[in-house]
């Protein structure tokens, strides 16, 4: 009986682990900067195994919304709730490990090579990869021949490919990408489409983009930011 009880506890624990990132809820999310509303009472629920693509004009709060979810900016009011737990800034290390963030401007170290940057990031996520594994990642994204070149000498397209490749370094539950196709050639855009769709199961994927062809091809839900005061949405053609 004791063994049965222990087995039940272990099974329940594993179930909890499997659903750790099933929803992100925004409750009256508000961000004010110098008296100006960037986001005002935003309400929405993001669910796992879905791809959400957000459109909108510049300055309508798309990037601020992503940073609010990521805990990279402190909200003025409202809540970010992950799996029914209200989250506050700064996020705990254990929570941050679940996020893959692809910012619109890649953040790598210019004085390190492409290979060294990926090695460094894998160490930050406590998932240090072998040399062979990182070289496979670089090869996958056509960066192998430039693996020993300084990142500061990479072209914009190469920087974006390295930016996207970070998703290979850990088992991230939440993918958040800000303008991922900016500066990327058509071959890489098609590769992004394929991989995002193939790997979405069990993940929450949130993307902002001005690339309608890219967004409409991959989206389960498209959300259009019509102003900073609303995030309204419906399946495949939604309004924020």
């Amino acid at each position: 009986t004791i063994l049965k009880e222990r087995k039940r506890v272990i099974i329940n624990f594993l179930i909890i682990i499997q659903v750790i990132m099933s929803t992100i809820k925004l409750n009256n999310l508000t961000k004010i900067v110098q008296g100006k509303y960037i986001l005002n009472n935003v309400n929405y629920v993001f669910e796992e195994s879905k791809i959400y693509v957000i459109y909108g004009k510049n300055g309508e709060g798309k990037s601020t919304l992503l940073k609010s979810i990521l805990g990279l900016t402190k909200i003025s009011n409202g809540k970010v709730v992950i799996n029914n737990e209200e989250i506050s800034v700064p996020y705990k290390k254990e929570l941050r490990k679940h996020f893959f963030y692809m910012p619109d401007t890649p953040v790598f170290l210019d004085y390190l090579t492409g290979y060294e940057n990926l090695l460094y990031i894998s160490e930050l996520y406590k998932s240090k990869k072998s040399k062979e594994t990182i070289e496979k990642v670089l090869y996958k994204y056509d960066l192998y021949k430039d693996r020993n070149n300084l990142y500061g000498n990479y072209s914009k397209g190469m920087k974006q490919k390295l930016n996207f490749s970070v998703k290979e370094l850990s088992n991230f539950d939440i993918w958040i990408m800000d303008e991922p196709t900016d500066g990327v050639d058509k071959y890489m855009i098609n590769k992004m489409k394929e991989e995002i769709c193939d790997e979405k199961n069990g993940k929450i994927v949130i993307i902002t983009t001005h690339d309608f062809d890219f967004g409409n091809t991959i989206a389960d839900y498209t959300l259009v930011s019509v102003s900073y005061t609303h995030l309204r949405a419906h399946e495949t053609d939604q309004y924020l």
Side-chain angles (χ1 to χ4, degrees):
T1 57
I2 295 176
L3 288 175
K4 285 184 178 179
E5 179 62 20
R6 286 180 177 174
K7 185 177 180 180
R8 184 186 66 81
V9 170
I10 291 171
I11 290 172
N12 288 339
F13 175 75
L14 291 174
I15 290 172
I16 290 170
I17 291 296
Q18 288 173 351
V19 299
I20 230 168
M21 289 290 166
S22 60
T23 61
I24 299 174
K25 297 179 183 178
L26 309 180
N27 294 339
N28 297 318
L29 186 68
T30 299
K31 176 68 176 180
I32 304 171
V33 178
Q34 297 181 343
K36 178 183 177 182
Y37 281 87
I38 307 301
L39 300 168
N40 187 13
N41 291 326
V42 173
N43 291 278
Y44 196 71
V45 178
F46 300 94
E47 298 178 341
E48 72 174 29
S49 302
K50 302 293 183 184
I51 300 170
Y52 299 85
V53 174
I54 303 173
Y55 299 123
K57 298 177 182 177
N58 292 333
E60 289 193 337
K62 300 186 303 300
S63 294
T64 302
L65 176 69
L66 299 188
K67 290 177 181 179
S68 297
I69 294 171
L70 287 158
L72 296 178
T73 186
K74 191 171 183 179
I75 61 177
S76 304
N77 197 17
K79 300 176 182 178
V80 176
V81 180
I82 298 179
N83 234 41
N84 297 319
E85 180 181 351
E86 182 178 348
I87 307 301
S88 58
V89 176
Y91 287 4
K92 296 177 182 177
K93 287 183 179 180
E94 189 60 34
L95 176 62
R96 292 201 302 267
K97 290 195 298 185
H98 291 277
F99 287 91
F100 161 56
Y101 176 42
M102 183 176 177
D104 56 344
T105 302
V107 182
F108 293 101
L109 299 174
D110 286 349
Y111 56 84
L112 295 182
T113 65
Y115 169 83
E116 290 168 339
N117 268 291
L118 290 189
L119 179 63
Y120 175 64
I121 291 171
S122 73
E123 290 174 346
L124 289 179
Y125 280 106
K126 306 298 183 185
S127 61
K128 185 175 179 179
K129 303 296 183 183
S130 67
K131 178 181 179 181
E132 292 75 19
T133 298
I134 291 178
E135 287 184 343
K136 284 180 181 178
V137 172
L138 291 165
Y139 185 82
K140 181 177 181 179
Y141 296 102
D142 196 27
L143 293 169
Y144 182 77
K145 65 181 182 299
D146 298 293
R147 67 193 183 281
N148 294 320
N149 293 339
L150 293 179
Y151 172 78
N153 295 328
Y154 277 19
S155 68
K156 185 174 183 178
M158 291 166 65
K159 289 178 178 179
Q160 280 291 72
K161 286 193 283 187
L162 193 69
N163 205 9
F164 187 68
S165 75
V166 171
K167 73 178 181 63
E168 304 287 326
L169 300 181
S170 188
N171 185 26
F172 301 105
D173 299 294
I174 299 175
W175 292 10
I176 295 183
M177 291 172 272
D178 196 355
E179 300 290 349
T181 63
D182 187 28
V184 176
D185 60 42
K186 194 165 183 62
Y187 172 80
M188 185 59 193
I189 290 174
N190 288 333
K191 189 176 184 66
M192 285 182 174
K193 289 180 185 177
E194 181 180 339
E195 292 188 11
I196 291 169
C197 291
D198 287 348
E199 299 174 34
K200 72 175 185 177
N201 287 338
K203 298 176 177 63
I204 297 173
V205 182
I206 307 171
I207 300 169
T208 67
T209 185
H210 289 98
D211 186 340
F212 287 95
D213 178 68
F214 170 75
N216 290 340
T217 301
I218 65 173
D220 293 303
Y221 294 88
T222 56
L223 302 94
V224 181
S225 177
V226 292
S227 75
Y228 61 81
T229 59
H230 295 289
L231 284 174
R232 297 175 300 179
H234 56 86
E235 191 168 359
T236 68
D237 186 17
Q238 309 188 27
Y239 293 86
L240 290 191

